[in-house]
Amino acid sequence: MILEEINRLKRVRNAVVLAHNYQLPEVQDIADFVGDSLELALKAQEVDADVVVMAGVRFMAEMVALLNPDKTVLHPSPDAGCPLADFLSKSVIEEYRREHPGAPLVVYVNSPLEAKALADYVVTSSSAVKVISKLDSDTILFGPDKNLADFVAEKTQKNVIPVPVSGHCPVHEFLISRYYVEKALREHPGYELVVHPETPRDVRRLANFVGSTSQMLRYIQETQADKILVGTEEGLVYRARKLAPGKDIVPVNPIAVCANMKKITPYNILKSLDRLEPRVTLDRALASRALEVVERSLELVK
Ligand code: 13P
Ligand code: SF4
């Protein structure tokens, strides 16, 4: 019933639903496209639709709105933020800019719009290494995730300074910690381990593969291994099992849940499509500066 009504409204509104890989199974099943942060931003530009419903957290909905000023962008749960993004305030950026004049500031897409407007480049977990390796400078300011900063430093051999020093995703820092990973490996001998770069270094060291959510999904499908532990938010396991049905895919920690991602439900998607609310609106001055930075960054990803 609710699915039929969503499908009817999608047709009436000429709308598509884009969902992040961590969304609830029932939301992933409703979506026209499921992907990682970079794929979602690019997909929103490709789709021929008047309305885009973003099933993800706020910065994802803001990215869709930023790249699609002519589309109506709906975010069914505007209070679905990202605690990692909140580490990067204007004052933190100004402090590090003052201390490291001349170093480019690269900002993770998990950040507020204001931070993107103040940055030189914006990256996602799948583009960070590529973009930073192409920059002229050997010293890079990177925020807000200290673990992704460390991962990029290892991969590029550059001096990547975390902005701020303690920025982290609580799900990856505390619930995909070395404790949970070692426990899962002990309980699942012979399993391969894939993890997200937002995990701490001592976890990444134990992994067979480190990548964005969609890069992990590709690895899971392509590896010879048929028993895999997934070290990221638990929503990825549903998607992985769907894409690699013959494999035994187990979460490192089933309680590694991003509560904000789970605030999107079929019911609030239905309500959004019906009312064309809540819409994502962006501050025009910030959006125009942030768009320049994002477009410059996307050029380096091609
Ligand atoms: P991806 O870009 O890898 O999908 O990651 C988004 C995210 O929020 C990870 O916690
Ligand atoms: Fe933010 Fe972590 Fe949730 Fe990703 S999993 S949206 S980084 S809080």
Side-chain angles (χ1 to χ4, degrees):
M1 172 68 186
I2 187 164
L3 283 184
E4 283 156 23
E5 191 51 13
I6 287 174
N7 284 331
R8 187 188 71 77
L9 283 169
K10 279 206 267 188
R11 283 192 299 276
V12 174
R13 304 289 194 212
N14 187 25
V16 293
V17 177
L18 305 182
H20 185 262
N21 287 319
Y22 294 160
Q23 287 291 293
L24 290 167
E26 55 271 34
V27 172
Q28 294 191 24
D29 289 345
I30 285 169
D32 298 278
F33 180 80
V34 186
D36 70 7
S37 304
L38 180 62
E39 290 170 338
L40 292 171
L42 297 176
K43 194 72 188 176
Q45 284 184 300
E46 272 170 34
V47 291
D48 177 21
D50 298 316
V51 176
V52 178
V53 181
M54 184 61 229
V57 291
R58 190 181 312 124
F59 75 81
M60 295 177 176
E62 283 178 354
M63 278 293 281
V64 174
L66 186 68
L67 290 164
N68 296 276
D70 299 333
K71 292 180 179 133
T72 298
V73 181
L74 304 174
H75 188 209
S77 181
D79 62 335
C82 166
L84 167 60
D86 296 340
F87 277 97
L88 206 53
S89 64
K90 185 179 180 188
S91 61
V92 167
I93 290 177
E94 285 172 348
E95 182 193 326
Y96 279 77
R97 286 277 207 197
R98 262 196 313 276
E99 281 172 17
H100 304 275
L105 171 67
V106 181
V107 156
Y108 191 24
V109 69
N110 300 42
S111 59
L113 186 66
E114 187 176 41
K116 294 182 177 84
L118 292 168
D120 298 302
Y121 298 93
V122 173
V123 297
T124 68
S125 61
S126 70
S127 70
V129 170
K130 189 169 185 180
V131 169
I132 289 173
S133 61
K134 285 186 182 175
L135 301 184
D136 259 347
S137 176
D138 275 336
T139 298
I140 309 283
L141 296 173
F142 182 89
D145 192 77
K146 64 172 175 145
N147 293 322
L148 183 57
D150 185 51
F151 174 70
V152 173
E154 279 183 344
K155 289 280 177 194
T156 61
Q157 295 298 305
K158 294 195 181 197
N159 175 28
V160 182
I161 300 169
V163 182
V165 77
S166 57
H168 63 271
C169 158
V171 177
H172 290 89
E173 179 83 355
F174 304 119
L175 299 174
I176 310 292
S177 62
R178 185 168 166 186
Y179 169 80
Y180 284 110
V181 171
E182 285 183 340
K183 181 170 178 287
L185 285 169
R186 255 194 326 274
E187 289 168 359
H188 297 84
Y191 279 60
E192 279 205 359
L193 172 69
V194 299
V195 304
H196 196 273
E198 287 174 17
T199 52
R201 182 192 289 188
D202 54 3
V203 163
R204 296 196 312 271
R205 289 262 185 279
L206 299 170
N208 298 89
F209 180 77
V210 183
S212 81
T213 54
S214 287
Q215 289 170 337
M216 281 192 267
L217 290 170
R218 277 191 287 279
Y219 179 85
I220 291 168
Q221 291 172 85
E222 285 163 13
T223 176
Q224 296 294 314
D226 57 4
K227 295 190 291 186
I228 299 145
L229 281 166
V230 176
T232 189
E233 208 274 347
E234 64 78 44
L236 197 75
V237 171
Y238 175 73
R239 182 114 179 99
R241 286 178 179 155
K242 218 167 160 178
L243 294 174
K247 300 198 176 187
D248 185 19
I249 299 163
V250 177
V252 161
N253 182 359
I255 62 156
V257 175
C258 175
N260 285 292
M261 282 283 180
K262 303 322 195 209
K263 287 179 180 169
I264 311 292
T265 65
Y267 182 64
N268 60 27
I269 290 175
L270 172 66
K271 244 178 26 187
S272 297
L273 281 167
D274 185 36
R275 299 177 187 174
L276 287 181
E277 292 283 349
R279 290 183 197 208
V280 181
T281 52
L282 304 176
D283 177 277
R284 281 176 62 170
L286 283 186
S288 114
R289 285 207 300 273
L291 184 59
E292 229 177 86
V293 178
V294 168
E295 282 178 338
R296 182 191 312 144
S297 311
L298 287 176
E299 279 303 309
L300 295 181
V301 179
K302 285 177 188 163

